[in-house]
Amino acid sequence: MGVIVVVGAQFGDEAKGKITDYLAAQARYVVRTGGGPNAGHSIHLAEGAVVLHQVPCGILRAGVTSVCGPGMVLDPKALEEEIRTLQERGLFRGELIISERAHAILPTHLVEDAWEEELRSATNPTAVLGTTRRGIGPAYADRYGRWGIRFGELIRPAKLAERLELLYASKPYLKNLPDRSQVLADLSEVATRLAPYVRPTEPILWSAVERNESILLEGAQSALLDVDFGTYPYVTSHHPTSAGALVGSGLPPSEVTAVIGITKAYATRVGAGPFPTEVAGDMGAYLQREGGERGATTGRLRQVGWLDLVLLRYVARLNGFSSLALTKVDVLGGLDEVPVAVQYVTPSGETLTNYPPADAEELARVTPVYEKMPGWPKFNERLVERIRSEGAAALPSTLKQFIDYVGRETRVPIEWVSYGPRREQTVWLGRSGGRTAAAGISAWAG
Ligand code: IMP
């Protein structure tokens, strides 16, 4: 079965949590490889909804080991709270381990995230990123600046004190930092409680590979938020791509069996940055309402738009998707037609089909050209029930047409369709062609 990588194919919030949870039923390990509490993975269980921010979604399944991988930046206090909440709700069913190489988000990073956004705003309001203010950017900056504190250091009190002193010394430009000795005392306390989870995680995963156990790399954020390949500077600070998932786990590319991209049937974006297919007005409000498009982490309303094939073709090649999961098709049910952007025209009249401008301002100036696909009916209880009992054959014919179209245009087969928030509302379409890499996944899902 090998290593399966799940990657968000848009600007985040594609229902990666839901699809990862679905695939986790067959996994032995689920690994988060990047980001931290900026993520919000919502999963709808019979017991109610759960939103995971730092803990991988494998935790909801007994017999699965969840790994907070080396590439993550974790807020120790928030992580402890998340663990406690899961335990109190009886949902902490698997095992959890935290890489000694993962970095800690400290109170200084939260102060710095807010300070940076204010600095951008004061200098040039269009430069504001709209970060989640969870300290992600500053924590990664310290990681690469080599000021950061790893979990392996966090749990050794003398080392923590030494690293914290250095970290504070590196920020003479920040006023109003929380008192260092208080931060040290608080962190030491939390670290003592988290210490039993902290381990070298790569050897555990390498041994799992040798035993041919299945490993799912749970993407967080998405390819278009990649610090290099996304809409820079309106991006997050790590690599939410298939390549990034390997760096963030310590697993080698040669072990990857499949790379699954997750895309909604439309698009959303939260925070600042270009969004060529954004829809405003009544239709925008309709999609926001029907799709429940509010950020799971920050509660912000998401901007909405149509599916963008230029970006999807780009992201498919960047990540080497072996298949796609198409989510939230039910949200579009009942529309007469469903527009899909097939190309861009630049202000100079150039046509772009699969490689968007790297420059965010240029991307904001393109005009999308739309193909209008016939709409499909609303997903009433009867249709939902039929899909549940008969599988993909019961999907409305115009939706099948849409699925085929997106698969053909991106040259990536759509392997799953998600048609509602609940765990069981995902249907496997089988491997409609696809690359050999997808062979592993059919064994998982079939
Ligand atoms: P940061 O990751 O908090 O630094 O935020 C940088 C940008 O990425 C902002 O536009 C955020 O809204 C966006 N972002 C970060 N994490 C997520 C996510 O999980 N879903 C959607 N957008 C995100």
Side-chain angles (χ1 to χ4, degrees):
M1 292 190 196
V3 177
I4 295 193
V5 188
V6 175
V7 178
Q10 298 173 300
F11 296 105
D13 310 312
E14 301 90 352
K16 287 182 295 292
K18 186 194 156 166
I19 299 295
T20 311
D21 170 66
Y22 169 86
L23 295 170
Q26 307 292 322
R28 175 66 189 84
Y29 291 88
V30 178
V31 189
R32 272 277 309 267
T33 59
N38 49 348
H41 292 172
S42 309
I43 296 150
H44 295 258
L45 306 171
E47 298 90 330
V50 52
V51 183
L52 297 166
H53 296 285
Q54 307 194 79
V55 176
C57 68
I59 205 66
L60 304 172
R61 298 188 183 268
V64 174
T65 299
S66 285
V67 182
C68 291
M72 288 190 78
V73 289
L74 294 155
D75 183 324
K77 222 170 166 179
L79 177 61
E80 197 193 17
E81 270 165 36
E82 192 170 329
I83 293 171
R84 194 180 310 124
T85 306
L86 286 165
Q87 285 169 337
E88 282 168 8
R89 292 182 65 187
L91 297 173
F92 196 94
R93 297 178 177 138
E95 190 197 353
L96 178 68
I97 53 178
I98 302 168
S99 167
E100 60 187 349
R101 295 180 198 270
H103 277 239
I105 297 176
L106 306 173
T108 54
H109 295 132
L110 301 182
V111 172
E112 200 165 2
D113 201 345
W115 175 77
E116 284 180 357
E117 284 284 78
E118 275 145 34
L119 190 63
R120 287 188 186 102
S121 170
T123 314
N124 173 2
T126 68
V128 172
L129 303 180
T131 74
T132 59
R133 302 213 175 196
R134 298 295 188 274
I136 306 296
Y140 276 111
D142 277 341
R143 179 181 194 128
Y144 292 108
R146 286 139 314 163
W147 303 107
I149 301 179
R150 292 166 140 194
F151 266 67
E153 295 168 331
L154 184 80
I155 59 173
R156 286 152 52 206
K159 194 71 192 168
L160 174 60
E162 183 191 316
R163 295 293 294 169
L164 201 60
E165 183 184 13
L166 199 62
L167 185 80
Y168 266 69
S170 76
K171 300 188 184 303
Y173 51 91
L174 281 184
K175 310 294 169 224
N176 309 324
L177 279 183
D179 177 66
R180 177 156 61 94
S181 47
Q182 188 58 51
V183 168
L184 178 61
D186 292 348
L187 276 177
S188 306
E189 224 181 90
V190 178
T192 312
R193 294 191 290 267
L194 289 179
Y197 298 103
V198 180
R199 308 265 285 276
T201 55
E202 309 88 89
I204 295 172
L205 296 178
W206 295 332
S207 302
V209 167
E210 276 163 26
R211 290 193 299 270
N212 203 25
E213 290 176 331
S214 47
I215 301 173
L216 197 55
L217 304 188
E218 173 182 357
Q221 290 72 55
S222 291
L224 292 167
L225 294 177
D226 183 281
V227 66
D228 286 325
F229 297 102
T231 54
Y232 191 88
Y234 305 98
V235 291
T236 191
S237 296
H238 67 106
H239 295 287
T241 52
S242 53
L246 299 176
V247 177
S249 61
L251 287 165
S254 51
E255 298 299 342
V256 173
T257 330
V259 181
I260 300 166
I262 318 290
T263 177
K264 280 179 187 164
Y266 54 103
T268 59
R269 174 160 206 163
V270 62
F275 187 4
T277 60
E278 184 174 359
V279 181
D282 289 350
M283 179 52 81
Y286 175 83
L287 292 176
Q288 277 170 334
R289 195 174 55 248
E290 292 293 302
E293 296 298 351
R294 199 172 272 285
T297 297
T298 56
R300 294 178 289 183
L301 209 54
R302 298 173 185 145
Q303 299 120 259
V304 291
W306 301 119
L307 185 65
D308 185 334
L309 290 180
V310 180
L311 293 179
L312 196 54
R313 292 184 194 112
Y314 164 63
V315 163
R317 295 203 294 178
L318 184 65
N319 290 281
F321 291 150
S322 40
S323 60
L324 281 169
L326 184 69
T327 63
K328 299 189 90 163
V329 297
D330 53 309
V331 173
L332 302 185
L335 296 181
D336 291 339
E337 51 189 26
V338 177
V340 178
V342 290
Q343 54 182 220
Y344 296 156
V345 179
T346 67
S348 64
E350 198 188 348
T351 300
L352 307 176
T353 54
N354 60 19
Y355 189 72
D359 183 88
E361 284 177 19
E362 279 182 42
L363 180 58
R365 283 198 293 266
V366 300
T367 306
V369 177
Y370 292 98
E371 176 86 33
K372 290 190 174 152
M373 303 296 293
W376 47 89
K378 265 202 176 305
F379 273 63
N380 56 24
E381 269 311 308
R382 202 170 138 257
L383 177 58
V384 167
E385 201 36 57
R386 271 193 62 209
I387 300 170
R388 226 146 65 93
S389 55
E390 294 168 36
L395 291 172
S397 60
T398 43
L399 174 55
K400 284 186 194 152
Q401 213 176 311
F402 181 86
I403 291 166
D404 287 347
Y405 180 74
V406 174
R408 213 168 43 242
E409 287 291 317
T410 54
R411 298 198 206 157
V412 183
I414 294 181
E415 199 165 357
W416 296 272
V417 170
S418 162
Y419 55 96
R422 294 205 303 271
R423 214 178 211 181
E424 66 279 10
Q425 289 173 330
T426 301
V427 62
W428 186 55
L429 306 185
R431 286 182 52 225
S432 41
R435 304 205 214 135
T436 47
I441 194 66
S442 55
W444 279 47

